[in-house]
């Protein structure tokens, strides 16, 4: 099935849900085929315990919440993850199994010279709507969604990000084991319904209770197998059942360990989730036990075509589905073709290799020059109506913040990508004079540029020339720290003093020179903030010489020539 030698799975272990069980099944199948499997996850979690119980390799790692109050813990966690991933071979397949782990992996891998293959495996649709989605999923790795409905959501929200699709799966042995336990449905006049989920709001249990209350003659009983995860929600479910007078018809079973016994007691499985799941495993399990499935409309997927899976949006539609005759069970061979492990392993490998094949020498130029989460630390120095020149523009992400934007970059690939996104960029080497008239711009930006050029003095003089009197400039480059030499394209770093003199000696009036944090993960953290700037605490830490940092300058061209 697979010639994969090494599989690493990153997971924050917050829950033991469908995504975690997906990863464990994948690990078990590949480990049997001599793939070396490693989990990178917190050891003191239910997932960590399960990994150890299966005899799989576990490396402890923490993934703190990506929120400003936890900002102090994020850079050390990124650095620790970078150390772990640095041991991975460039052909190792690394699977980010949760959105939080994917953000950390992106921050850690973007600075590795020979990163492993990375896949962002999406078990839900919610991450597509997060503000940081574009920054995380465009920078490093490939994106694979579980279920065509989830894949379409990511394609709609991230039109410039390739998205592959896999189906959920069970092993062949597990499929045949479950199918061997099929039993006839209960002998009831109207259907006995089952729900298997976690007791949390996104699973839609209260909504289903209310819908069933509106169609009391369409069903016999409801059996809810849902371990308590949110106590307040569990209490709310119980109250709503009592308010609707359904205590005698709805059974709250808690955690269900014996699926065979559960499915033997129900006619149909209902999946009423109101959240943004991908493709719940319980749907496949129900089909294997010989039970048809009814899902709330957002969960419907073209993957279900031709199977006894129906959808509903209203109580009347649910009643109509319940009135239909129970269809014949689906054959195991047919389910294995569509939901077998082979399609998952193949898709993960092929997608990762396609996305990472051009990056064997390390992160691409686009990775380094995509919009950072702290982009307003640059744009706040200018007005949206300024005519702005972006020297060393990369993908020209600044164009999204200014009405009159021009970018120049020597990378033909970067300029082509920028133009494909509708941004005004042109190819030009800064080793040559800038191709613009004197005093033709209100603002100039040179972010992460001057450390690369052969003649920074000449480049700064050119930026002064094209800037109008009174116009403003922002520039940044690596501080003179050891890390600056890890990038072999760097010709020189700068101290705060040398950066100030570089601009002052060419005729700029320097307004401010300072440090800005470029610790791994700072872009992801900043992107989570409403301000889209570096959190103040992390900004203050840039004053410490142990912090990975840039120097930056804000300067202006004098309004009149010096006497």
């Amino acid at each position: 099935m697979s010639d994969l030698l090494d599989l690493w799975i990153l997971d924050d272990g917050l829950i033991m849900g469908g995504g975690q069980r997906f990863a464990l099944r994948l690990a078990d199948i590949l480990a049997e085929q001599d793939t070396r499997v490693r989990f990178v996850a917190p050891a003191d979690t239910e997932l960590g315990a399960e990994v150890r119980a299966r005899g799989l390799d576990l490396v402890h790692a923490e993934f703190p919440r990506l929120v400003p109050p936890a900002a102090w813990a994020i850079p050390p966690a990124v650095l620790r993850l970078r150390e772990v991933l640095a041991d991975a071979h460039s052909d190792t397949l690394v699977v980010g199994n949760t959105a939080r782990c994917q953000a950390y992996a992106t921050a850690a891998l973007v600075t590795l010279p020979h990163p492993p293959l990375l896949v962002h495996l999406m078990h839900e649709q919610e991450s597509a709507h997060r503000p940081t989605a574009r920054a995380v999923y465009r920078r490093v790795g490939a994106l694979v969604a579980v279920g065509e409905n989830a894949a379409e959501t990511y394609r709609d929200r991230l039109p410039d990000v390739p998205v592959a699709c896999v189906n959920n799966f069970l092993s062949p042995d597990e499929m045949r084991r479950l199918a061997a336990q099929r039993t006839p449905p209960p002998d009831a006049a109207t259907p006995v319904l089952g729900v298997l989920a976690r007791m949390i709001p996104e699973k839609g249990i209260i909504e289903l209770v209310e819908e069933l209350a509106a169609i009391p003659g369409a069903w016999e009983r409801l059996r809810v197998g849902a371990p308590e995860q949110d106590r307040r929600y569990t209490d709310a479910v119980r109250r709503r059942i009592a308010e609707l007078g359904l205590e005698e018809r709805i059974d709250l079973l808690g955690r269900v360990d014996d699926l065979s016994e559960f499915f033997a007691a129900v006619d149909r499985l209902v999946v009423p989730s109101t959240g943004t799941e991908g493709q719940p495993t319980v749907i496949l399990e129900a089909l294997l036990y010989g039970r048809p499935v009814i899902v709330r409309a957002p969960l419907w997927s073209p993957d279900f075509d031709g199977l006894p899976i129906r959808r509903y949006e209203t109580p009347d539609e649910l009643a109509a589905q319940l009135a239909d005759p129970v269809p014949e069970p689906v054959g195991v061979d047919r389910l294995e073709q569509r939901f077998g492990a082979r399609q998952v392993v193949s898709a993960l490998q092929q997608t990762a290799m396609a996305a990472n094949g051009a990056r064997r020498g390390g992160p691409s130029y686009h990775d380094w020059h995509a919009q950072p989460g702290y982009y307003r630390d640059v744009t706040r120095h200018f007005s949206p109506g300024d005519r702005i020149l972006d020297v060393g523009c990369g993908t020209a992400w600044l164009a999204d913040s200014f009405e009159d934007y021009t970018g120049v970059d020597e990378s033909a690939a970067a300029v082509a990508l920028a133009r494909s996104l509708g941004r005004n960029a042109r190819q030009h080497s800064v080793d040559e004079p800038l191709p613009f008239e004197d005093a033709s711009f209100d603002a100039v930006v040179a972010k992460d540029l001057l450390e690369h050029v052969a003649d920074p003095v000449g480049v700064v003089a050119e930026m002064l020339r094209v800037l109008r009197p009174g116009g403003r400039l922002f520039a940044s480059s690596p501080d003179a720290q050891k890390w600056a030499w890890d990038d072999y394209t760097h010709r020189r770093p700068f101290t705060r003093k040398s950066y100030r003199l570089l601009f002052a000696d060419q005729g700029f009036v320097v307004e401010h020179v300072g440090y800005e944090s470029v610790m791994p993960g700072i872009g992801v953290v900043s992107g989570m903030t409403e301000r889209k700037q570096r959190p103040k605490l992390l900004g203050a830490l840039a004053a410490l010489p142990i912090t990975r940092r840039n120097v930056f300058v804000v300067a202006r061209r004098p309004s009149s020539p010096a006497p």
Side-chain angles (χ1 to χ4, degrees):
M1 181 188 301
S2 169
D3 56 2
L4 182 65
L5 296 178
D6 295 277
L7 171 71
W8 291 21
I9 299 172
L10 312 184
D11 199 293
D12 50 46
L14 290 179
I15 62 172
M16 190 63 173
Q20 288 65 43
R21 292 186 175 88
F22 183 107
L24 288 167
R25 292 195 300 273
L26 181 64
D28 286 341
I29 288 173
L30 290 178
E32 291 177 357
Q33 300 174 29
D34 297 324
T35 296
R36 294 182 291 267
V37 178
R38 168 175 288 183
F39 276 80
V40 180
D44 55 346
T45 59
E46 185 179 355
L47 174 63
E50 186 64 31
V51 169
R52 291 192 298 271
R54 296 175 184 230
L56 299 169
D57 187 24
L58 174 66
V59 174
H60 175 75
E62 299 285 348
F63 299 91
R65 294 180 65 201
L66 294 168
V67 293
W72 62 272
I74 294 170
V78 173
L79 290 174
R80 165 60 179 156
L81 183 61
R82 185 182 187 278
E83 292 175 0
V84 171
L85 295 177
D87 290 335
H89 189 270
S90 59
D91 288 329
T92 297
L93 178 59
V94 176
V95 173
N97 203 43
T98 68
R100 186 185 300 185
C101 290
Q102 292 154 7
Y104 275 95
T106 297
L109 289 177
V110 78
T111 60
L112 285 180
H114 301 288
L117 306 172
L118 175 65
V119 166
H120 305 292
L121 184 59
M122 316 309 300
H123 301 276
E124 37 73 28
Q125 304 173 45
E126 182 180 358
S127 296
H129 301 276
R130 292 192 173 102
T132 55
R134 189 175 301 275
V136 170
Y137 301 131
R138 278 192 59 199
R139 291 182 70 83
V140 178
L143 200 153
V144 177
V146 180
E148 187 60 37
N149 57 335
E152 279 302 309
T153 298
Y154 285 95
R155 291 175 187 136
D156 289 343
R157 298 289 297 183
L158 307 170
D160 52 345
V161 176
V163 180
C165 176
V166 297
N167 284 324
N168 212 328
F169 77 99
L170 292 174
S171 71
D173 289 344
E174 181 71 359
M175 285 189 172
R176 298 188 183 281
R177 184 184 70 81
L178 299 185
Q181 301 177 59
R182 290 178 176 177
T183 60
D187 184 15
T190 50
V192 177
L193 309 180
V195 170
L196 286 174
R198 288 179 288 133
M199 191 65 83
I200 56 176
E202 300 93 295
K203 298 304 180 180
I205 296 173
I206 286 180
E207 288 82 355
L208 177 62
V209 168
E210 293 172 342
E211 289 159 346
L212 292 177
I215 51 171
W219 57 287
E220 184 78 18
R221 298 191 68 80
L222 173 65
R223 297 171 57 82
V224 180
E228 182 179 298
Q229 183 172 327
D230 183 330
R231 179 60 182 272
R232 287 185 295 180
Y233 184 71
T234 302
D235 292 342
V237 171
R238 294 184 186 279
R239 284 196 305 271
R240 193 61 178 140
I241 291 173
E243 291 167 357
L244 295 171
L246 298 175
E247 299 100 321
E248 299 301 318
R249 299 183 65 184
I250 297 179
D251 304 317
L252 298 183
L253 307 175
R255 178 175 179 142
V256 172
D257 294 316
D258 190 335
L259 291 183
S260 176
E261 179 182 354
F262 175 84
F263 281 109
V266 303
D267 292 283
R268 290 173 172 84
L269 181 80
V270 181
V271 186
S273 297
T274 58
T276 53
E277 292 182 80
Q279 196 183 79
T281 311
V282 69
I283 294 176
L284 177 55
E285 291 171 333
L287 296 178
L288 287 163
Y289 278 109
R291 297 298 184 261
V293 182
I294 303 173
V295 302
R296 197 178 296 281
L299 281 181
W300 172 259
S301 170
D303 307 309
F304 301 150
D305 282 341
L307 299 175
I309 303 174
R310 303 292 181 263
R311 60 180 171 183
Y312 78 97
E313 291 187 83
T314 67
D316 288 342
E317 289 180 1
L318 177 58
Q321 299 293 0
L322 295 176
D324 284 346
V326 176
E328 290 295 319
V330 183
V332 178
D333 290 342
R334 184 178 171 194
L335 291 175
E336 188 174 341
Q337 288 177 357
R338 195 176 301 192
F339 299 99
R342 186 183 303 275
Q343 47 95 23
V344 176
V345 176
S346 176
L348 291 177
Q349 285 185 278
Q350 293 178 16
T351 306
M353 293 180 69
N356 292 277
R359 300 180 178 180
R360 309 315 285 166
S364 74
Y365 184 86
H366 307 154
D367 296 330
W368 290 107
H369 295 275
Q371 177 175 286
Y374 47 79
Y375 67 91
R376 285 183 181 160
D377 280 335
V378 178
T379 61
R380 67 188 179 90
H381 299 291
F382 310 103
S383 298
D386 283 346
R387 187 181 187 209
I388 190 166
L389 173 64
D390 188 3
V391 185
C393 65
T395 58
W397 55 267
L398 273 171
D400 295 342
S401 298
F402 296 95
E403 300 169 5
D404 191 350
Y405 171 91
T406 301
V408 295
D409 200 289
E410 69 176 5
S411 167
V415 170
L417 178 56
R419 288 176 174 172
S420 73
L421 298 173
R423 297 164 178 170
N424 180 27
R426 65 172 71 178
Q427 188 177 3
H428 176 79
S429 172
V430 293
D431 292 334
E432 303 293 331
L434 292 170
F436 306 107
E437 299 294 328
D438 294 357
S440 51
F441 291 95
D442 302 312
V444 173
V445 171
K447 186 178 183 301
D448 298 324
L449 169 74
L450 294 172
E451 66 273 19
H452 296 279
V453 304
D455 180 18
V457 170
V459 174
V460 171
E462 274 294 286
M463 291 191 290
L464 180 72
R465 179 184 67 79
V466 301
L467 194 60
R468 67 165 175 79
R472 219 172 192 196
L473 169 141
F474 174 90
S476 64
S477 292
D479 184 31
Q481 296 174 307
K482 182 180 178 181
W483 72 269
W485 297 110
D486 291 342
D487 184 341
Y488 58 82
T489 68
H490 287 177
R491 294 173 180 264
R492 64 181 58 74
F494 295 88
T495 64
R496 189 163 58 175
K497 179 178 179 180
S498 68
Y499 218 50
R500 177 178 61 80
L501 291 174
L502 173 61
F503 288 87
D505 288 355
Q506 313 321 310
F508 277 96
V509 176
V510 175
E511 297 178 347
H512 184 66
V513 179
Y515 296 116
E516 57 181 19
S517 173
V518 288
M519 289 290 290
I522 186 66
V524 174
V525 176
S526 303
M528 300 291 290
T529 68
E530 183 176 350
R531 297 165 59 240
K532 298 298 183 286
Q533 293 178 243
R534 295 174 177 85
K536 292 181 179 179
L537 174 60
L538 294 184
L541 290 176
L544 301 176
I546 60 171
T547 302
R548 180 169 170 161
R549 63 193 185 184
N550 276 357
V551 293
F552 75 90
V553 64
V554 178
R556 60 180 172 82
R557 179 174 175 174
S559 297
S560 58

